[in-house]
Structures are given as C-alpha cells and as structure tokens.
Amino acid sequence: MTNTTPGMSTDAIELLMGDHREVEQLFEMMNKARQSSDVDQQRYVAEHVVEDLSVHAVIEEEVLYPAMRDALPDGDQLVEEALQEHQEAKELLTRIDGKDPQSEDASAAFDELVATIHHHVLDEETQLLPRLRGALGQERLEQMGKKMELARKAAPTHPHPHAPNTPPGNVAAGAFAAVVDKIRDALRS
Ligand SMILES: [Fe+2]
Ligand SMILES: [Fe+2]
C-alpha cells in the first residue's frame, strides 16, 4: 500500500493521495492486461482493486469524513455526497469481487468503477482535501494519518455495501467484517 518510512509521520492527505495513485496504477495495469488478453493478470489486478478500494473507503469513512464534518461549514453536505459515491463504488466492487474478470457483468462494472473513482478522486483532490488542509494544521493532519494507519490494519478487505458507513456503527461493523474477510482471504489462498 502507501510507502511510508517507518518512524516518519505521514499526513492524512498525503497518505490518501498515495492510495489514489496506486489505484490509478492498477487501472492502467488492467488496460494492459486486457490488451494482452492476460486473464491471470486481470484476475490479479481485480483482486487488488477490490482490496485497496475497500480498505481506502473505510479509512476515509472512519477518519477523514468525520473530520470534514467538524472542520468545514458545509462538511455534512460534502460528506453525504462523498458517501453516496462510496456506496456506488462498493456496489460495483461487489460485482467484481471473486468474479471472472472477463465476464460481461464484471468487466462492465470495472469500466463503471474506473469512471466513478476518477470523478470521486478528482473531487477529493481538488475540493475536499485542499479545503481540509486549509482548515486543519499540520499536526492535526499527522495525527489523522496515524489514525488511518491503524484503521487500515483493522479494515475489511472486501466491499460491504450494506454495512453502516458513519460513526460509531461503521467502526464496530468494520472491525467485525475485517475479521470475516481475513478468514475468507486465508481460506482462498
Ligand atoms: Fe472517498
Ligand atoms: Fe479517496
């Protein structure tokens, strides 16, 4: 996942943007795997997209979005819109998770996911994150970065579109789902 030097604190915004770049690289890898009809590679990329985006959505929902509600006057509205886009993404991930990447439905869901995430990341990076940086000091952003590193370890690795996505329900449900997902991952590999 994100490259962070041990002992050095990463601020929350840099951490999230690092995740965004990794997902974009995976999307690019899918393009190449499709061009070369490499099905194993398509499956590998799809699995990683599912895991990375499931974890990313949850750490934003647990740490970033609550901070935005507090720090920005229109935070509630911005977060509601962002959560709606996360919901769309999770539903698309469910159609990809564990499916044949070449099946019509999974491949259509993947294309839709790329467009949804592109739009969502653009919104976050041009509006939400710069405004949050303006509202919070560096110290606060680094504390949030630490919280995110912890949340990442306890985050579910598969999409859970029906689980609560706001505190406090999401933290408890997320921890439980993470255990279930990790058992599932272990059994699969
Ligand atoms: Fe997001
Ligand atoms: Fe994000």
Side-chain angles (χ1 to χ4, degrees), residues 114-129:
V114 171
T116 301
I117 294 299
H118 177 73
H119 165 87
H120 184 70
V121 162
L122 206 65
D123 264 4
E124 286 184 344
E125 294 194 3
T126 60
Q127 314 270 339
L128 311 189
L129 298 178

Side-chain angles (χ1 to χ4, degrees), residues 108-177:
F110 198 95
D111 292 340
E112 235 180 286
L113 182 76
V114 171
T116 301
I117 294 299
H118 177 73
H119 165 87
H120 184 70
V121 162
L122 206 65
D123 264 4
E124 286 184 344
E125 294 194 3
T126 60
Q127 314 270 339
L128 311 189
L129 298 178
R131 289 190 52 202
L132 195 72
R133 188 180 287 290
L136 303 178
Q138 186 61 25
E139 203 181 322
R140 181 75 206 286
L141 289 172
E142 286 178 15
Q143 285 168 358
M144 281 173 60
K146 281 199 193 107
K147 264 194 179 176
M148 284 178 179
E149 297 284 13
L150 290 175
R152 195 197 281 296
K153 291 192 187 120
T157 52
H158 293 273
H160 294 273
H162 305 297
N165 56 12
T166 53
N170 63 345
V171 178
F176 178 71

Side-chain angles (χ1 to χ4, degrees), residues 48-143:
H48 281 269
V49 165
V50 167
E51 175 168 349
D52 285 7
L53 284 178
S54 298
V55 170
H56 182 80
V58 165
I59 68 175
E60 287 189 342
E61 289 162 16
E62 290 184 1
V63 184
L64 174 71
Y65 292 169
M68 279 179 41
R69 287 190 197 265
D70 288 344
L72 304 176
D74 53 347
D76 282 332
Q77 193 200 327
L78 294 171
V79 167
E80 289 310 321
E81 285 166 18
L83 285 175
Q84 221 168 335
E85 289 172 358
H86 277 203
Q87 185 64 26
E88 275 171 44
K90 287 176 197 174
E91 284 165 15
L92 293 166
L93 288 170
T94 303
R95 288 165 53 193
I96 296 166
D97 192 11
K99 307 283 163 34
D100 172 1
Q102 289 191 308
S103 75
E104 210 173 305
D105 189 64
S107 131
F110 198 95
D111 292 340
E112 235 180 286
L113 182 76
V114 171
T116 301
I117 294 299
H118 177 73
H119 165 87
H120 184 70
V121 162
L122 206 65
D123 264 4
E124 286 184 344
E125 294 194 3
T126 60
Q127 314 270 339
L128 311 189
L129 298 178
R131 289 190 52 202
L132 195 72
R133 188 180 287 290
L136 303 178
Q138 186 61 25
E139 203 181 322
R140 181 75 206 286
L141 289 172
E142 286 178 15
Q143 285 168 358

